[in-house]
Amino acid sequence: MITYREDPKICIFDSNDAMAESIAQQWLNLSRGTEIVNISLSGGSTPKHIFGFIAHSDYASQINWKHLHFWWGDERCVSPKHEQSNYGEAMRLLFSQVLIPADNLHPIHGELLPEKACIDFKDEMEACLPLCTVSGKVRPIYDWVILGIGEDGHTASLFPGCTDSETSQNAVLAYHPDTQQARVSLSAPAICAAKRVTYLALGEGKKQIVAVLLNNEPSSEGLPAGSIKSIQGPTEWYLDVQSASGLNEQ
Ligand code: 6PG
């Protein structure tokens, strides 16, 4: 892994396994503390490799899972059994393979009516996470929010042109612009209140959007993945050689 740039921090991994190993080692280190650590996971396909890597490595038994609580940055409004369920995928690939207490998993309940799932998500965050007040609004404080990015610059289920960066809500309803699939998502300000935000982008397919966002091209203006950053800690990018291949030379 090389650190390509410090602000925002850009790490370029030479393989998916190298990125997965880095995250696994960080989870192991975090799990060795005495405090509960709240980590929000991205959906989509990017994290699948990380889940599978950890499940089939020594990390599965070395990580002290009782100190880690996992949340999701967004969820499709489908049953956990559905192939598109972000929680269902993480359960299938990782959490069903390790000794993590059920109470340490905080899925968004995609099987419920979207409005109910959104309210329940908000309530669970307010009941279980440390809270802080930012600009007069109560926000949850995640220790680490891990996000993916779409080729249109969306992140979580916060899509360009329909993301309210000032909302007082911490959980919001959204609809995929192409499929109109209902989603429940962390809001932009809720993500920004996290102590640390890490965007994962792998493969040739993310080359263009990564270049637009990280070369500060004018077209990055207003894209959620370009404006959503931690306000109190680091915001970083975990890339591979392919997704980083459009970055300007340092
Ligand atoms: C989701 C996501 C979404 C995802 C990006 C990247 O539920 O789909 O959370 O924001 O992270 O669309 O998706 P891929 O990892 O599949 O490229």
Side-chain angles (χ1 to χ4, degrees):
M1 182 275 281
I2 58 159
T3 300
Y4 174 84
R5 189 188 299 169
E6 279 304 336
D7 183 24
K9 185 174 181 182
I10 300 174
C11 300
I12 302 173
F13 294 86
D14 54 19
S15 69
N16 291 2
D17 275 2
M19 178 195 278
E21 172 107 43
S22 170
I23 289 177
Q25 185 61 48
Q26 292 178 68
W27 287 7
L28 174 60
N29 297 342
L30 288 169
S31 78
R32 285 176 168 156
T34 54
E35 300 293 309
I36 293 292
V37 180
N38 288 290
I39 300 170
S40 175
L41 299 172
S42 81
S45 58
T46 300
K48 289 180 183 177
H49 184 77
I50 298 166
F51 299 153
F53 177 92
I54 294 174
H56 297 97
S57 70
D58 291 342
Y59 288 102
S61 55
Q62 292 170 346
I63 290 172
N64 191 351
W65 295 99
K66 67 177 184 296
H67 286 162
L68 302 182
H69 280 239
F70 290 93
W71 303 73
W72 277 262
D74 69 325
E75 186 56 274
R76 294 82 180 274
C77 292
V78 295
S79 155
K81 293 185 174 54
H82 193 287
E83 62 174 6
Q84 287 198 5
S85 169
N86 291 330
Y87 163 68
E89 201 62 29
M91 276 304 290
R92 282 187 285 273
L93 295 174
L94 175 57
F95 296 123
S96 58
Q97 320 279 326
V98 298
L99 295 173
I100 186 164
D103 288 348
N104 288 34
L105 300 174
H106 304 268
I108 298 168
H109 290 285
E111 69 278 15
L112 301 177
L113 278 174
E115 292 76 5
K116 176 78 167 76
C118 192
I119 291 167
D120 288 0
F121 181 32
K122 175 194 74 76
D123 291 347
E124 181 145 354
M125 283 195 278
E126 290 174 4
C128 303
L129 289 171
L131 302 172
C132 65
T133 300
V134 178
S135 307
K137 308 280 192 333
V138 175
R139 301 297 180 194
I141 308 176
Y142 287 92
D143 294 287
W144 192 4
V145 173
I146 298 172
L147 297 167
I149 58 165
E151 294 176 27
D152 62 353
H154 79 259
T155 190
S157 285
L158 303 171
F159 297 98
C162 35
T163 295
D164 180 353
S165 59
E166 308 290 328
T167 179
S168 60
Q169 302 302 315
N170 292 315
V172 292
L173 272 182
Y175 297 88
H176 191 285
D178 300 334
T179 64
Q180 295 310 305
Q181 183 185 54
R183 307 278 188 93
V184 175
S185 179
L186 274 177
S187 67
I191 296 172
C192 294
K195 292 179 180 175
R196 178 184 177 192
V197 172
T198 302
Y199 286 96
L200 309 180
L202 295 175
E204 190 71 21
K206 301 292 170 70
K207 169 183 175 181
Q208 186 179 358
I209 189 61
V210 164
V212 165
L213 292 168
L214 296 182
N215 292 337
N216 291 319
E217 292 177 12
S219 51
S220 68
E221 190 65 32
L223 295 181
S227 56
I228 293 172
K229 302 179 170 73
S230 170
I231 56 176
Q232 59 170 316
T235 298
E236 54 200 7
W237 291 78
Y238 280 12
L239 309 176
D240 63 8
V241 173
Q242 293 77 15
S243 63
S245 57
L247 292 180
N248 293 338
E249 289 308 310
Q250 269 287 55

